[in-house]
Structures are given as structure tokens and as C-alpha cells.
Amino acid sequence: EVCEAGTSSSRGSSSCSTCAAGTYGGGGTACLLCPAGKYSGEVGATTSDTCQVCEEAGTGSSEGSSSCSACEAGTYGGGGTACLPCPDGFSSPAGSKSSNACQPI
């Protein structure tokens, strides 16, 4: 079955499902994930334009996220990316905004 934008159908299925938050689709076999550092809370999104940047420093998101979240301890984020790990032997508190927060363990 040909699916409408914002929906997808798995191979062999006779019905279409709405794309979940954190994904979007132009109709077809699979909804696509918003990239790391972006999120979408919209269900049934039709284009990647709905994927918004995690702008607040100290936050990030992984692929397919429906929201941004504070970077975990041992990582940091300047906004607009996934949270990045501190180098080996270094750690940082949760919500760290830059690599300057990574301190020797």
C-alpha cells in the first residue's frame, strides 16, 4: 500500500502507521529519524523541517529523539549536537556545556 506523508508501512503490511515523535516521513516503507542534536515532538511529521535543533547549551539528543535532555555526567554539549563524551580519564557533571567542564578523574 502507498502511504500518505507522515505515515509508513512495513514490508508486507496492508496498513499504514503514523510516524512517531522524533521521526518524519514522506510516505513509504519507513519513517526517518531526526538526526542527533535535533528533536521533534510532532506525531505524523511529514518533513525533516519539523526536527528542531537542541539550542540550549548542556543539552543534546540522540537520533530519533522527541525532546532534548541534559547531557549525562561524563559528557558535554554546546547545543545543536548529540552530547559528546569527555576524553578517557576525564569526567564532567550532568548538564555540562563545554569540554572545559571535563576534569581528570
Side-chain angles (χ1 to χ4, degrees):
E1 176 175 339
V2 175
C3 295
E4 295 178 15
T7 66
S8 69
S9 176
S10 45
R11 189 177 300 256
S13 176
S14 60
S15 62
C16 298
S17 301
T18 302
C19 292
T23 68
Y24 62 94
T29 58
C31 295
L32 304 172
L33 301 174
C34 288
K38 293 187 175 187
Y39 71 98
S40 175
E42 186 176 329
V43 174
T46 58
T47 70
S48 62
D49 293 343
T50 59
C51 300
Q52 301 173 34
V53 173
C54 295
E55 293 183 13
E56 186 178 338
T59 67
S61 68
S62 56
E63 271 189 329
S65 291
S66 59
S67 64
C68 296
S69 56
C71 293
E72 295 178 6
T75 67
Y76 64 93
T81 65
C83 296
L84 303 170
C86 289
D88 288 344
F90 288 75
S91 190
S92 64
S96 293
K97 299 177 182 179
S98 76
S99 61
N100 294 337
C102 298
Q103 298 297 313
I105 298 173

Coordinates of all heavy atoms in Angstrom, one line a residue:
E1 N 0.8 -1.2 0.0 CA 0.0 0.0 0.0 C 0.9 1.2 0.0 O 1.9 1.3 0.7 CB -0.9 0.0 1.3 CG -1.7 1.2 1.4 CD -2.7 1.1 2.6 OE1 -3.0 0.0 3.1 OE2 -3.1 2.1 3.0
V2 N 0.5 2.2 -0.8 CA 1.2 3.5 -0.8 C 0.7 4.3 0.4 O -0.6 4.5 0.5 CB 0.9 4.3 -2.1 CG1 1.6 5.6 -2.1 CG2 1.5 3.5 -3.3
C3 N 1.6 4.8 1.2 CA 1.2 5.5 2.4 C 1.3 7.0 2.2 O 2.1 7.5 1.4 CB 2.1 5.2 3.5 SG 2.0 3.5 4.0
E4 N 0.4 7.8 2.9 CA 0.4 9.2 2.8 C 1.6 9.8 3.6 O 2.2 9.1 4.4 CB -0.8 9.8 3.5 CG -2.1 9.4 2.8 CD -3.3 10.0 3.5 OE1 -3.2 10.8 4.4 OE2 -4.5 9.5 3.2
A5 N 2.0 11.0 3.3 CA 3.1 11.7 4.0 C 2.8 11.6 5.5 O 1.6 11.8 6.0 CB 3.2 13.1 3.6
G6 N 3.8 11.4 6.3 CA 3.7 11.3 7.8 C 3.3 10.0 8.3 O 3.1 9.8 9.5
T7 N 3.2 9.0 7.4 CA 3.0 7.6 7.7 C 3.9 6.7 7.0 O 4.6 7.1 6.1 CB 1.5 7.2 7.3 OG1 1.4 7.2 5.9 CG2 0.5 8.1 7.9
S8 N 4.0 5.4 7.4 CA 4.8 4.4 6.7 C 4.2 3.1 6.9 O 3.2 2.9 7.7 CB 6.2 4.4 7.3 OG 6.2 3.9 8.7
S9 N 4.7 2.1 6.1 CA 4.2 0.8 6.2 C 5.3 -0.2 6.1 O 6.2 0.0 5.3 CB 3.3 0.5 5.0 OG 2.8 -0.8 4.9
S10 N 5.3 -1.2 7.0 CA 6.4 -2.1 7.0 C 6.1 -3.1 5.8 O 5.0 -3.3 5.4 CB 6.5 -2.9 8.3 OG 5.3 -3.3 8.8
R11 N 7.2 -3.7 5.3 CA 7.1 -4.6 4.1 C 6.1 -5.7 4.4 O 6.2 -6.3 5.5 CB 8.5 -5.1 3.8 CG 8.6 -5.9 2.6 CD 10.0 -6.4 2.3 NE 10.9 -5.3 2.2 CZ 11.4 -4.8 1.1 NH1 11.2 -5.4 0.0 NH2 12.3 -3.8 1.1
G12 N 5.2 -5.9 3.5 CA 4.2 -6.9 3.6 C 3.0 -6.5 4.4 O 2.0 -7.3 4.4
S13 N 3.0 -5.3 5.0 CA 1.8 -4.9 5.7 C 0.8 -4.3 4.8 O 1.1 -3.7 3.8 CB 2.3 -3.8 6.7 OG 1.1 -3.3 7.4
S14 N -0.5 -4.4 5.1 CA -1.5 -3.8 4.3 C -2.1 -2.5 4.9 O -3.0 -2.0 4.4 CB -2.7 -4.8 4.2 OG -3.2 -5.1 5.4
S15 N -1.4 -2.0 6.0 CA -1.9 -0.8 6.5 C -0.7 0.2 6.8 O 0.4 -0.2 6.9 CB -2.7 -1.0 7.8 OG -1.8 -1.6 8.8
C16 N -1.0 1.4 7.0 CA 0.0 2.5 7.2 C -0.1 2.9 8.7 O -1.2 2.9 9.3 CB -0.2 3.7 6.3 SG -0.1 3.3 4.6
S17 N 1.0 3.2 9.3 CA 1.1 3.7 10.7 C 1.6 5.1 10.7 O 2.5 5.5 9.9 CB 2.0 2.8 11.5 OG 1.6 1.5 11.5
T18 N 1.1 5.9 11.6 CA 1.6 7.3 11.7 C 3.0 7.3 12.3 O 3.4 6.5 13.1 CB 0.7 8.0 12.8 OG1 -0.7 8.0 12.3 CG2 1.1 9.5 12.9
C19 N 3.9 8.2 11.7 CA 5.2 8.3 12.2 C 5.2 8.8 13.6 O 4.5 9.8 13.9 CB 6.0 9.3 11.3 SG 6.3 8.7 9.6
A20 N 6.0 8.3 14.5 CA 6.1 8.6 15.9 C 6.9 10.0 16.0 O 7.6 10.4 15.1 CB 6.8 7.5 16.7
A21 N 6.7 10.6 17.2 CA 7.5 11.8 17.5 C 9.0 11.4 17.4 O 9.4 10.3 17.7 CB 7.2 12.2 18.9
G22 N 9.8 12.3 16.9 CA 11.2 12.1 16.7 C 11.5 11.5 15.3 O 12.7 11.3 15.0
T23 N 10.5 11.3 14.5 CA 10.6 10.8 13.1 C 9.8 11.6 12.2 O 8.9 12.4 12.6 CB 10.2 9.3 13.0 OG1 8.8 9.2 13.2 CG2 10.9 8.4 14.1
Y24 N 10.0 11.4 10.9 CA 9.2 12.0 9.9 C 9.1 11.1 8.7 O 10.0 10.3 8.5 CB 9.7 13.4 9.5 CG 11.1 13.4 8.9 CD1 11.3 13.3 7.6 CD2 12.2 13.3 9.8 CE1 12.6 13.2 7.0 CE2 13.5 13.2 9.2 CZ 13.7 13.2 7.9 OH 15.0 13.1 7.4
G25 N 8.2 11.3 7.8 CA 8.1 10.5 6.6 C 7.3 11.2 5.5 O 6.3 11.8 5.7
G26 N 7.8 10.9 4.3 CA 7.1 11.4 3.1 C 6.2 10.4 2.5 O 5.7 10.5 1.4
G27 N 5.9 9.3 3.3 CA 5.1 8.2 2.8 C 6.1 7.2 2.2 O 7.1 7.5 1.6
G28 N 5.9 5.9 2.6 CA 6.8 4.9 2.1 C 6.9 3.8 3.1 O 6.0 3.5 3.9
T29 N 8.1 3.1 3.1 CA 8.2 1.9 3.9 C 8.8 2.2 5.3 O 8.7 1.3 6.2 CB 9.2 0.9 3.2 OG1 10.4 1.5 3.0 CG2 8.6 0.4 1.9
A30 N 9.3 3.4 5.6 CA 9.9 3.6 6.9 C 9.9 5.1 7.2 O 10.1 5.9 6.3 CB 11.3 3.1 7.0
C31 N 9.6 5.5 8.4 CA 9.7 6.8 8.9 C 11.2 7.0 9.2 O 11.9 6.1 9.6 CB 8.9 7.1 10.2 SG 7.1 6.9 9.9
L32 N 11.7 8.2 8.9 CA 13.1 8.6 9.1 C 13.3 9.2 10.4 O 12.5 10.0 10.9 CB 13.6 9.5 7.9 CG 13.4 8.9 6.5 CD1 13.7 10.0 5.5 CD2 14.2 7.7 6.3
L33 N 14.5 9.0 11.0 CA 14.8 9.5 12.3 C 15.3 11.0 12.2 O 16.1 11.3 11.3 CB 15.9 8.7 13.0 CG 15.6 7.2 13.2 CD1 16.8 6.5 13.8 CD2 14.4 7.1 14.2
C34 N 14.9 11.8 13.1 CA 15.6 13.1 13.2 C 17.0 12.9 13.6 O 17.3 12.0 14.4 CB 14.9 14.0 14.3 SG 13.3 14.6 13.9
P35 N 18.0 13.7 13.1 CA 19.4 13.4 13.4 C 19.7 13.8 14.8 O 19.0 14.5 15.5 CB 20.1 14.3 12.4 CG 19.1 15.4 12.0 CD 17.8 14.8 12.2
A36 N 20.8 13.3 15.3 CA 21.4 13.6 16.6 C 21.5 15.1 16.7 O 21.9 15.8 15.8 CB 22.7 12.9 16.9
G37 N 21.1 15.7 17.9 CA 21.2 17.1 18.1 C 19.9 17.8 17.7 O 19.8 19.0 17.9
K38 N 19.0 17.1 17.1 CA 17.7 17.7 16.8 C 16.6 16.8 17.4 O 16.8 15.6 17.7 CB 17.5 17.7 15.3 CG 18.4 18.7 14.6 CD 18.1 18.9 13.2 CE 19.0 20.0 12.5 NZ 18.5 20.3 11.2
Y39 N 15.4 17.3 17.5 CA 14.2 16.6 18.0 C 13.0 17.0 17.4 O 12.9 18.1 16.7 CB 14.2 16.8 19.5 CG 13.7 18.2 19.9 CD1 12.3 18.4 20.2 CD2 14.6 19.3 19.9 CE1 11.9 19.7 20.5 CE2 14.1 20.6 20.1 CZ 12.8 20.8 20.4 OH 12.4 22.0 20.7
S40 N 11.9 16.2 17.5 CA 10.6 16.6 17.1 C 9.6 16.0 18.0 O 9.6 14.7 18.2 CB 10.3 16.2 15.6 OG 9.0 16.4 15.3
G41 N 8.7 16.8 18.5 CA 7.6 16.3 19.4 C 6.4 16.0 18.6 O 5.4 15.6 19.1
E42 N 6.4 16.3 17.3 CA 5.3 16.2 16.4 C 5.0 14.7 15.9 O 6.0 14.1 15.4 CB 5.4 17.1 15.2 CG 4.2 17.2 14.3 CD 4.4 18.2 13.2 OE1 5.1 19.2 13.4 OE2 3.8 17.9 12.1
V43 N 3.8 14.2 16.1 CA 3.5 12.9 15.6 C 2.9 13.1 14.2 O 2.2 14.0 14.0 CB 2.4 12.3 16.5 CG1 1.9 10.9 16.0 CG2 3.0 12.0 17.9
G44 N 3.3 12.2 13.3 CA 2.9 12.3 11.9 C 3.6 13.4 11.1 O 3.0 13.9 10.1
A45 N 4.8 13.8 11.5 CA 5.5 14.8 10.8 C 5.8 14.3 9.4 O 6.1 13.1 9.1 CB 6.8 15.1 11.5
T46 N 5.8 15.2 8.4 CA 6.0 14.9 7.0 C 7.3 15.2 6.4 O 7.7 14.7 5.4 CB 4.9 15.5 6.1 OG1 5.0 16.9 6.3 CG2 3.5 15.0 6.5
T47 N 8.1 16.2 7.1 CA 9.4 16.6 6.5 C 10.4 16.8 7.7 O 10.0 16.9 8.8 CB 9.3 17.9 5.8 OG1 9.1 19.0 6.7 CG2 8.2 17.9 4.7
S48 N 11.7 16.8 7.3 CA 12.7 17.0 8.3 C 12.7 18.4 8.9 O 13.3 18.6 9.9 CB 14.1 16.7 7.7 OG 14.3 17.6 6.6
D49 N 11.9 19.3 8.3 CA 11.8 20.7 8.8 C 11.2 20.7 10.2 O 11.4 21.6 11.0 CB 10.9 21.5 7.9 CG 11.6 21.8 6.6 OD1 12.8 21.6 6.4 OD2 10.9 22.2 5.6
T50 N 10.5 19.6 10.6 CA 9.9 19.6 12.0 C 11.0 19.2 13.0 O 10.7 19.4 14.2 CB 8.8 18.5 12.0 OG1 9.3 17.3 11.7 CG2 7.6 18.9 11.1
C51 N 12.1 18.7 12.6 CA 13.2 18.4 13.5 C 13.9 19.7 13.9 O 14.5 20.3 13.1 CB 14.2 17.4 12.9 SG 13.5 15.9 12.3
Q52 N 13.8 20.1 15.2 CA 14.3 21.3 15.7 C 15.7 21.1 16.4 O 15.9 20.0 17.0 CB 13.3 21.9 16.6 CG 12.0 22.2 16.0 CD 11.0 22.7 17.0 OE1 11.3 23.4 18.0 NE2 9.7 22.3 16.8
V53 N 16.5 22.1 16.4 CA 17.8 22.0 17.0 C 17.7 22.1 18.5 O 17.0 23.0 19.0 CB 18.8 23.1 16.4 CG1 20.1 23.2 17.2 CG2 19.0 22.9 15.0
C54 N 18.5 21.3 19.2 CA 18.6 21.5 20.7 C 19.5 22.6 20.9 O 20.7 22.5 20.8 CB 19.2 20.2 21.3 SG 18.2 18.7 21.2
E55 N 19.0 23.8 21.2 CA 19.8 25.0 21.2 C 20.4 25.3 22.5 O 21.4 26.0 22.6 CB 18.9 26.2 20.7 CG 18.6 26.1 19.3 CD 17.8 27.3 18.8 OE1 17.7 28.3 19.5 OE2 17.2 27.2 17.7
E56 N 19.8 24.8 23.6 CA 20.3 25.2 24.9 C 21.6 24.4 25.2 O 21.7 23.2 25.1 CB 19.3 24.8 26.0 CG 19.6 25.3 27.4 CD 18.6 25.0 28.4 OE1 17.4 24.8 28.0 OE2 18.9 24.9 29.6
A57 N 22.6 25.2 25.6 CA 23.9 24.6 25.9 C 23.7 23.6 27.1 O 22.9 23.9 28.0 CB 24.9 25.6 26.3
G58 N 24.4 22.5 27.1 CA 24.3 21.5 28.1 C 23.2 20.5 27.9 O 23.0 19.6 28.7
T59 N 22.6 20.6 26.7 CA 21.6 19.6 26.3 C 22.0 19.0 24.9 O 22.8 19.5 24.2 CB 20.2 20.2 26.2 OG1 20.2 21.2 25.1 CG2 19.8 20.9 27.4
G60 N 21.3 17.9 24.6 CA 21.6 17.3 23.3 C 20.5 16.2 23.1 O 19.5 16.1 23.9
S61 N 20.6 15.5 22.0 CA 19.6 14.4 21.7 C 20.3 13.4 20.8 O 21.3 13.7 20.1 CB 18.4 15.0 21.0 OG 18.7 15.4 19.7
S62 N 19.8 12.2 20.9 CA 20.3 11.1 20.0 C 19.3 11.1 18.9 O 18.3 11.7 18.8 CB 20.4 9.8 20.8 OG 19.1 9.5 21.4
E63 N 19.7 10.3 17.8 CA 18.8 10.1 16.7 C 17.4 9.7 17.1 O 17.2 8.9 18.0 CB 19.3 9.0 15.8 CG 20.3 9.4 14.7 CD 20.6 8.3 13.8 OE1 20.6 7.1 14.2 OE2 20.9 8.6 12.6
G64 N 16.4 10.3 16.5 CA 15.0 9.9 16.7 C 14.4 10.4 18.0 O 13.4 9.8 18.5
S65 N 15.0 11.4 18.6 CA 14.5 11.9 19.9 C 13.3 12.8 19.7 O 13.1 13.5 18.7 CB 15.6 12.7 20.6 OG 16.6 11.9 21.0
S66 N 12.4 12.7 20.7 CA 11.2 13.6 20.7 C 11.4 14.8 21.6 O 10.5 15.7 21.7 CB 10.0 12.8 21.2 OG 10.2 12.3 22.5
S67 N 12.6 14.9 22.3 CA 12.9 16.1 23.1 C 14.4 16.1 23.3 O 15.1 15.2 23.1 CB 12.1 16.0 24.4 OG 12.6 14.9 25.2
C68 N 14.8 17.3 23.8 CA 16.2 17.4 24.2 C 16.3 17.1 25.7 O 15.4 17.3 26.4 CB 16.7 18.9 24.0 SG 16.7 19.3 22.3
S69 N 17.5 16.6 26.1 CA 17.7 16.4 27.5 C 19.1 16.8 28.0 O 19.9 17.0 27.1 CB 17.5 14.9 27.8 OG 18.3 14.1 27.0
A70 N 19.2 17.0 29.3 CA 20.5 17.4 29.8 C 21.5 16.3 29.5 O 21.2 15.1 29.6 CB 20.4 17.6 31.3
C71 N 22.7 16.8 29.2 CA 23.8 15.8 28.9 C 24.1 15.1 30.2 O 24.1 15.7 31.3 CB 25.1 16.6 28.4 SG 24.9 17.3 26.8
E72 N 24.4 13.8 30.1 CA 24.7 13.0 31.3 C 26.1 13.3 31.8 O 26.9 13.8 31.1 CB 24.6 11.5 30.9 CG 23.2 11.0 30.5 CD 23.2 9.6 30.1 OE1 24.2 8.9 30.2 OE2 22.1 9.1 29.6
A73 N 26.3 12.9 33.0 CA 27.6 13.0 33.6 C 28.6 12.3 32.7 O 28.4 11.3 32.2 CB 27.7 12.4 35.0
G74 N 29.8 13.0 32.5 CA 30.8 12.4 31.7 C 30.7 12.8 30.2 O 31.5 12.4 29.4
T75 N 29.7 13.7 29.9 CA 29.5 14.2 28.6 C 29.3 15.7 28.7 O 29.1 16.3 29.8 CB 28.3 13.6 27.9 OG1 27.1 13.9 28.5 CG2 28.5 12.0 27.9
Y76 N 29.3 16.4 27.5 CA 29.0 17.8 27.5 C 28.4 18.1 26.1 O 28.5 17.4 25.2 CB 30.3 18.6 27.6 CG 31.3 18.4 26.5 CD1 31.3 19.2 25.4 CD2 32.2 17.3 26.6 CE1 32.2 19.0 24.4 CE2 33.1 17.1 25.5 CZ 33.1 18.0 24.4 OH 34.0 17.8 23.4
G77 N 27.7 19.3 26.1 CA 27.0 19.6 24.8 C 26.9 21.1 24.7 O 26.5 21.8 25.7
G78 N 27.2 21.7 23.6 CA 27.1 23.1 23.3 C 25.8 23.5 22.7 O 25.6 24.6 22.3
G79 N 24.9 22.5 22.5 CA 23.7 22.7 21.8 C 23.8 22.4 20.3 O 24.9 22.7 19.8
G80 N 22.8 21.9 19.7 CA 22.9 21.6 18.3 C 23.6 20.3 17.9 O 23.7 20.0 16.8
T81 N 24.0 19.5 18.9 CA 24.7 18.2 18.6 C 24.2 17.2 19.6 O 23.5 17.5 20.6 CB 26.2 18.3 18.8 OG1 26.5 18.6 20.1 CG2 26.8 19.4 17.9
A82 N 24.6 16.0 19.4 CA 24.4 15.0 20.5 C 25.4 15.3 21.6 O 26.4 16.0 21.3 CB 24.8 13.6 19.9
C83 N 25.2 14.9 22.8 CA 26.2 15.1 23.9 C 27.5 14.4 23.6 O 27.4 13.2 23.1 CB 25.6 14.7 25.2 SG 24.2 15.7 25.7
L84 N 28.6 15.0 23.7 CA 29.9 14.4 23.4 C 30.6 13.9 24.6 O 30.5 14.5 25.7 CB 30.7 15.4 22.7 CG 30.1 16.1 21.4 CD1 31.0 17.3 21.0 CD2 30.0 15.0 20.4
P85 N 31.3 12.8 24.6 CA 32.0 12.2 25.7 C 33.2 13.0 26.1 O 33.9 13.5 25.2 CB 32.3 10.8 25.3 CG 32.4 10.8 23.8 CD 31.4 11.9 23.4
C86 N 33.5 13.1 27.4 CA 34.8 13.6 27.8 C 35.9 12.6 27.4 O 35.6 11.5 27.2 CB 34.8 13.8 29.3 SG 33.7 15.1 30.0
P87 N 37.1 13.1 27.2 CA 38.2 12.2 26.9 C 38.4 11.2 28.0 O 38.0 11.3 29.1 CB 39.4 13.1 26.8 CG 38.9 14.5 26.7 CD 37.5 14.5 27.3
D88 N 39.0 10.1 27.6 CA 39.4 9.0 28.6 C 40.1 9.6 29.8 O 41.0 10.4 29.6 CB 40.2 7.9 28.0 CG 39.5 7.0 27.0 OD1 38.2 7.1 27.0 OD2 40.1 6.3 26.2
G89 N 39.7 9.2 31.0 CA 40.3 9.6 32.2 C 39.8 10.9 32.7 O 40.2 11.5 33.7
F90 N 38.7 11.5 32.0 CA 38.1 12.7 32.4 C 36.6 12.5 32.6 O 36.0 11.6 32.0 CB 38.3 13.8 31.4 CG 39.7 14.3 31.3 CD1 40.7 13.6 30.7 CD2 40.0 15.6 31.8 CE1 42.0 14.1 30.6 CE2 41.3 16.1 31.7 CZ 42.3 15.3 31.1
S91 N 36.0 13.4 33.4 CA 34.5 13.3 33.6 C 34.0 14.7 33.8 O 34.8 15.7 34.0 CB 34.2 12.4 34.8 OG 32.8 12.2 34.9
S92 N 32.7 14.9 33.8 CA 32.1 16.1 34.0 C 30.7 15.9 34.6 O 30.1 14.9 34.6 CB 31.8 16.8 32.6 OG 30.9 16.0 31.8
P93 N 30.2 17.0 35.3 CA 28.9 16.8 35.9 C 27.8 16.8 34.8 O 28.0 17.3 33.7 CB 28.7 18.1 36.8 CG 29.9 19.0 36.5 CD 30.8 18.2 35.6
A94 N 26.6 16.3 35.2 CA 25.5 16.3 34.3 C 25.2 17.8 33.8 O 25.3 18.7 34.6 CB 24.3 15.7 34.9
G95 N 24.8 17.9 32.6 CA 24.4 19.2 32.1 C 25.5 20.1 31.7 O 25.4 21.3 31.5
S96 N 26.7 19.6 31.6 CA 27.9 20.4 31.2 C 27.8 21.0 29.8 O 27.3 20.3 28.9 CB 29.2 19.5 31.3 OG 29.4 19.2 32.7
K97 N 28.2 22.2 29.7 CA 28.0 23.0 28.5 C 29.3 23.0 27.5 O 29.1 23.3 26.4 CB 27.7 24.4 28.8 CG 26.4 24.5 29.6 CD 26.1 25.9 30.0 CE 24.8 26.0 30.8 NZ 24.5 27.3 31.3
S98 N 30.4 22.6 28.0 CA 31.6 22.6 27.2 C 32.6 21.6 27.7 O 32.5 21.1 28.8 CB 32.2 24.0 27.1 OG 33.0 24.3 28.3
S99 N 33.6 21.3 26.8 CA 34.7 20.4 27.2 C 35.5 20.9 28.4 O 36.2 20.1 29.0 CB 35.6 20.1 26.0 OG 36.2 21.3 25.5
N100 N 35.5 22.2 28.6 CA 36.2 22.8 29.8 C 35.7 22.2 31.1 O 36.4 22.2 32.1 CB 36.0 24.3 29.9 CG 36.7 25.0 28.7 OD1 37.6 24.4 28.1 ND2 36.2 26.2 28.4
A101 N 34.5 21.6 31.1 CA 33.9 21.0 32.3 C 34.5 19.6 32.6 O 34.4 19.1 33.7 CB 32.4 20.9 32.2
C102 N 35.1 19.0 31.6 CA 35.8 17.7 31.7 C 37.0 17.8 32.6 O 38.0 18.6 32.2 CB 36.1 17.1 30.4 SG 34.6 16.8 29.3
Q103 N 37.0 17.2 33.7 CA 38.1 17.3 34.7 C 38.7 15.9 34.9 O 38.0 14.9 34.8 CB 37.7 17.8 36.0 CG 37.1 19.3 35.9 CD 38.1 20.3 35.5 OE1 39.3 20.3 36.0 NE2 37.8 21.1 34.5
P104 N 40.0 15.8 35.2 CA 40.6 14.5 35.4 C 39.9 13.7 36.6 O 39.5 14.4 37.5 CB 42.1 14.8 35.9 CG 42.3 16.2 35.4 CD 41.0 16.9 35.3
I105 N 39.8 12.5 36.4 CA 39.1 11.6 37.4 C 40.0 11.4 38.5 O 41.2 11.1 38.4 CB 38.6 10.3 36.8 CG1 37.5 10.6 35.7 CG2 38.0 9.4 37.8 CD1 37.1 9.4 34.9

